[in-house]
Amino acid sequence: MDRKNASEGQEESRRDFMKLAGGVAGAASVGGLSGCLGGNGGGDTATEGDGDEDTTTEQTTDSGDGSDGGDSVDELSYWAVGTTNPEEWGDFTDESGIEVDYSAAAWSPGETVTKLVQGTASQDFDIAGNDTTLTGVLDEQDAIVPTNLQDLSNWEYVYDEIKNSGPTEIDGEQHSLSSVQNGDSVAYLPDEVGDPGSINSYGILFDEEFQGKTSLEAGWATAFHKVALYLQRNNMADLESIENPTEEDVRTVVDFLLEQKENGQFRTFWSGWQTAVNLLSKKEVVAMDTWEPVVFALRDQDMEAEYLEPKEGYSLWAIGPWITNAGAENREASESLINWMMGGWYNAQITTIRGYLSSSELGIDYAEESEDFDAEFIQQRHEEVRSRFSDDISVVGNRYPDSFSTLNSQWNRLTS
């Protein structure tokens, strides 16, 4: 199929994305598990416009799913990280007759587990969404139920690597859809640190040449895994596991960072979207462990900024919806919403406003038939992020590891 010119559309897509991202991540929380993934949802603002009516109905949401659920359910409550919020739910409502009552959740894995397991979130919301590596503990504590994804009409169009992503499957049953994903690394200013072609390592954060001009995020949920990758891949430490670190692994990584901190390597431990953007835009920091949308924001200010392609691998993550105990009582309606999230409009919208990989190729197909989306931008982003998940060196870090308590206390020791 013919595709639109990417350069103009890509910049427009980024501008639309940044309108949203500035509000999303500006509300990032502070603490041991504070905002990591390009937004924690609290400050989301609406994206202007909506997609055309889906022209690939044979591939998108089965209207029977939504309509049947709508006979008895008028509204579904959805509590999730802002990254998964498309800002517009009218497409689903038009197809199903079901309204979506969306509530923003902080990107705080520990808090999410606490509210679903010890609190009332599993009864208050039909669907919840956070990092998919929390799936195991939530299932063990009976806070979520399996999702019959293989029975939904759009499941066949989901990318194979997403279908087979480990954390969402337990005893052969899918418990979640990985609806949004990316690989995180480092944002840097090439005018300050050198030619992008010569920069390919997390070592840029620890280079003495940039002492006092680098920064780590205050939360550990992606920062920890980047540093662990750096130490392990460069034979600077012998870690038992990067994905699920032991208590000894945690202490090894934090001890290394404490030494760097005491030597004055870091300008600060940043928290919050605007802080991240400001530190780089004012050149107080020249290299920062951060989210990729920060680079888009700087480019939108006509600054030269790059996102590291690390030889040590990316810190991978995925966020997806779970059906809660409340949602199990409305299973047909809940699954109709998840099916819609695998469909064309949702996938095109999510990649456009977030810059992340969404679950399905249907987003590209939809964009090709719509004047509201840039198909080439969406395809380019999908290809780029998918390559990070198939490079054999990047890792999906467990956001609720066995060493969870130790990781929290040690990271607080580092950042306090």
Side-chain angles (χ1 to χ4, degrees), residues 129-407:
N130 209 294
D131 192 275
T132 56
T133 61
L134 306 182
T135 301
V137 66
L138 293 175
D139 174 68
E140 289 173 4
Q141 299 298 320
D142 297 322
I144 59 174
V145 300
T147 306
N148 299 324
L149 289 171
Q150 67 278 7
D151 296 332
L152 304 183
S153 60
N154 287 332
W155 178 243
E156 65 176 296
Y157 302 104
V158 171
Y159 293 122
D160 287 342
E161 64 268 29
I162 294 175
K163 285 183 181 178
N164 299 322
S165 60
T168 62
E169 184 177 307
I170 298 173
D171 296 331
E173 290 186 297
Q174 287 289 342
H175 283 61
S176 179
L177 166 72
S178 297
S179 61
V180 178
Q181 42 271 309
N182 199 18
D184 287 354
S185 67
V186 169
Y188 66 94
L189 307 179
D191 289 346
E192 303 296 323
V193 303
D195 179 9
S198 64
I199 299 169
N200 66 349
S201 171
Y202 290 121
I204 190 175
L205 294 171
F206 315 113
D207 192 325
E208 291 181 358
E209 182 180 350
F210 310 121
Q211 190 175 59
K213 301 282 283 184
T214 68
S215 182
L216 295 182
E217 188 175 3
W220 62 260
T222 55
F224 175 88
H225 299 98
K226 295 174 192 177
V227 181
L229 281 165
Y230 171 69
L231 295 177
Q232 184 82 328
R233 301 284 194 251
N234 290 289
N235 299 314
M236 298 171 66
D238 184 14
L239 305 178
E240 184 172 326
S241 174
I242 298 173
E243 295 90 337
N244 187 24
T246 65
E247 292 185 0
E248 184 60 31
D249 292 339
V250 169
R251 292 188 180 93
T252 297
V253 171
V254 171
D255 284 347
F256 167 77
L257 290 175
L258 278 168
E259 183 178 354
Q260 294 289 319
K261 176 184 176 182
E262 290 166 1
N263 289 338
Q265 184 65 30
F266 307 125
R267 167 69 174 80
T268 187
F269 292 93
W270 69 270
S271 181
W273 170 266
Q274 200 57 55
T275 299
V277 174
N278 286 346
L279 284 169
L280 286 163
S281 65
K282 295 177 180 179
K283 299 185 179 180
E284 295 180 39
V285 164
V286 299
M288 174 191 289
D289 147 53
T290 191
W291 324 316
E292 190 168 15
V294 168
V295 170
F296 292 167
L298 295 170
R299 290 174 180 170
D300 204 47
Q301 298 177 20
D302 296 323
M303 286 191 67
E304 292 291 329
E306 296 291 339
Y307 206 56
L308 185 72
E309 296 182 16
K311 67 178 182 180
E312 298 94 352
Y314 291 89
S315 173
L316 305 174
W317 55 264
I319 296 176
W322 304 287
I323 294 179
T324 64
N325 291 318
E329 298 174 8
N330 303 316
R331 176 178 283 278
E332 195 167 7
S334 297
E335 290 187 346
S336 73
L337 177 57
I338 292 173
N339 192 51
W340 176 80
M341 292 174 69
M342 293 185 278
W345 186 88
Y346 179 87
N347 279 269
Q349 174 78 345
I350 282 295
T351 301
T352 298
I353 67 175
R354 307 295 182 197
Y356 294 148
L357 172 66
S358 51
S359 62
S360 166
E361 63 189 35
L362 295 179
I364 300 170
D365 296 341
Y366 188 94
E368 290 176 332
E369 303 294 335
S370 170
E371 296 180 356
D372 296 316
F373 296 103
D374 177 5
E376 191 156 354
F377 171 74
I378 293 170
Q379 182 178 43
Q380 175 263 323
R381 289 302 300 165
H382 279 210
E383 290 174 353
E384 189 169 342
V385 178
R386 288 182 75 188
S387 71
R388 299 173 186 178
F389 278 79
S390 59
D391 63 11
D392 296 327
I393 57 171
S394 299
V395 300
V396 177
N398 191 332
R399 269 71 188 192
Y400 204 85
D402 297 336
S403 59
F404 182 78
S405 295
T406 299
L407 188 42

Side-chain angles (χ1 to χ4, degrees), residues 50-114:
D50 201 348
D52 291 341
E53 183 179 353
D54 196 343
T55 56
T56 56
T57 53
E58 74 279 6
Q59 294 181 336
T60 54
T61 306
D62 184 342
S63 59
D65 286 341
S67 298
D68 290 346
D71 289 341
S72 58
V73 178
D74 297 324
E75 183 177 85
L76 288 170
S77 54
Y78 181 28
W79 176 58
V81 178
T83 309
T84 63
N85 181 11
E87 302 302 316
E88 301 277 349
W89 300 94
D91 185 82
F92 173 71
T93 301
D94 290 344
E95 291 183 8
S96 67
I98 304 172
E99 299 283 345
V100 177
D101 180 15
Y102 172 83
S103 298
W107 165 239
S108 178
E111 178 184 335
T112 296
V113 171
T114 298

